[in-house]
Amino acid sequence: DFIDLSPTKPEEEEEVVASADVCLYGLNIIMPLMSRELLQIPSVCAHYYKMVAFLAEIYPNKMEELPPDLMKNLLGSIEIGITSFGIDVSGYSLDFIYVLTSHVFKTKAPESAIRMALKPFLKLILDLILSQQIGSDLLVYASATLYILICCFQEEYRDLVVQLLSNQQQDPSTNQRMAEAFTQLTDNVMLNADRANKIRFRSNFEEFVVNVRGFLFVK
């Protein structure tokens, strides 16, 4: 069951131990047990992903404080969760990435460990979208997650688009159509992570998916 993890009110006595710290301490205990085989148990899987998504949303700054090995295992489980355990878990996993990347973007810490750990998800999410491994039921989650990843890793996104286009140089028609699709994706969208631009990006994203999936196959 979930408890109230919000901070105490100013007029209340200061907490000796924050409830989020208790949960994160518990995460240190259970993470070594979270094998792929254990996550095959539906109830365990659902509660685990719901918990980590909830913690990331309430206390993203606490997630930054996780030990490197724990963070690596946690993000590894999130990567698996995007495609392996059904729509609900995929949604929790994408939401986890969205929340933490939003936090990183707002804090503007260029070389933080969490920022470097989240960077590979830009390529992963884009590849999954292009290869249709993220279904239509999850495109709203995928749109928001891809948008915030692009906002946070703008230079890396440009390099990734260049790489994808270079892979299609032997097919000028596909190369041109892909270039036009990527141009349209961020057309009239400011990469500042505000709500209006996120909605505008979603509209572009829906058209992008329809166009690109019609002619592009990602190995």
Side-chain angles (χ1 to χ4, degrees):
D1 294 330
F2 286 132
I3 59 176
D4 182 8
L5 296 181
S6 58
T8 54
K9 297 178 181 178
E11 65 270 14
E12 295 178 356
E13 184 179 351
E14 185 178 355
E15 293 175 301
V16 177
V17 179
S19 50
D21 288 331
V22 176
C23 291
L24 291 175
Y25 179 78
L27 195 60
N28 276 277
I29 296 173
I30 68 170
M31 273 306 301
L33 307 175
M34 284 294 109
S35 65
R36 193 182 185 104
E37 290 74 20
L38 189 60
L39 289 172
Q40 297 291 337
I41 303 173
S43 59
V44 173
C45 184
H47 281 88
Y48 167 74
Y49 282 100
K50 188 182 294 185
M51 180 190 71
V52 295
F54 188 70
L55 283 174
E57 182 176 359
I58 299 300
Y59 276 114
N61 57 313
K62 293 290 185 182
M63 305 302 285
E64 288 187 290
E65 301 171 6
L66 294 176
D69 288 345
L70 179 59
M71 176 58 71
K72 179 180 178 181
N73 291 337
L74 175 59
L75 293 180
S77 71
I78 293 298
E79 181 177 344
I80 294 171
I82 296 173
T83 58
S84 301
F85 304 117
I87 292 175
D88 289 342
V89 169
S90 296
Y92 292 138
S93 300
L94 291 170
D95 194 47
F96 178 95
I97 299 168
Y98 173 80
V99 169
L100 278 194
T101 307
S102 297
H103 173 73
V104 169
F105 181 78
K106 291 174 183 176
T107 56
K108 301 185 184 301
E111 300 301 328
S112 66
I114 185 63
R115 187 182 191 278
M116 301 304 292
L118 288 168
K119 188 186 298 185
F121 282 101
L122 173 62
K123 183 178 187 303
L124 174 66
I125 298 299
L126 187 56
D127 283 348
L128 291 175
I129 290 167
L130 296 176
S131 61
Q132 303 187 46
Q133 294 184 62
I134 292 181
S136 57
D137 292 338
L138 291 167
L139 289 182
V140 172
Y141 289 98
S143 170
T145 303
L146 180 61
Y147 174 65
I148 194 61
L149 285 167
I150 292 174
C151 291
C152 195
F153 304 109
Q154 297 182 30
E155 183 177 347
E156 291 81 359
Y157 171 70
R158 287 191 289 268
D159 291 343
L160 183 56
V161 171
V162 170
Q163 179 184 347
L164 288 169
L165 293 176
S166 67
N167 292 340
Q168 301 295 329
Q169 286 183 343
Q170 295 182 349
D171 186 344
S173 176
T174 299
N175 181 282
Q176 178 63 29
R177 294 171 70 183
M178 190 190 304
E180 292 173 354
F182 277 111
T183 299
Q184 179 271 334
L185 179 61
T186 54
D187 183 45
N188 200 32
V189 175
M190 295 181 64
L191 302 178
N192 59 8
D194 71 8
R195 183 174 182 274
N197 282 286
K198 183 172 74 171
I199 293 173
R200 195 172 296 122
F201 180 86
R202 184 193 302 174
S203 178
N204 290 355
F205 177 78
E206 291 172 354
E207 184 175 347
F208 171 84
V209 169
V210 172
N211 290 340
V212 171
R213 284 184 173 179
F215 61 82
L216 180 65
F217 175 73
V218 178
K219 295 183 180 180

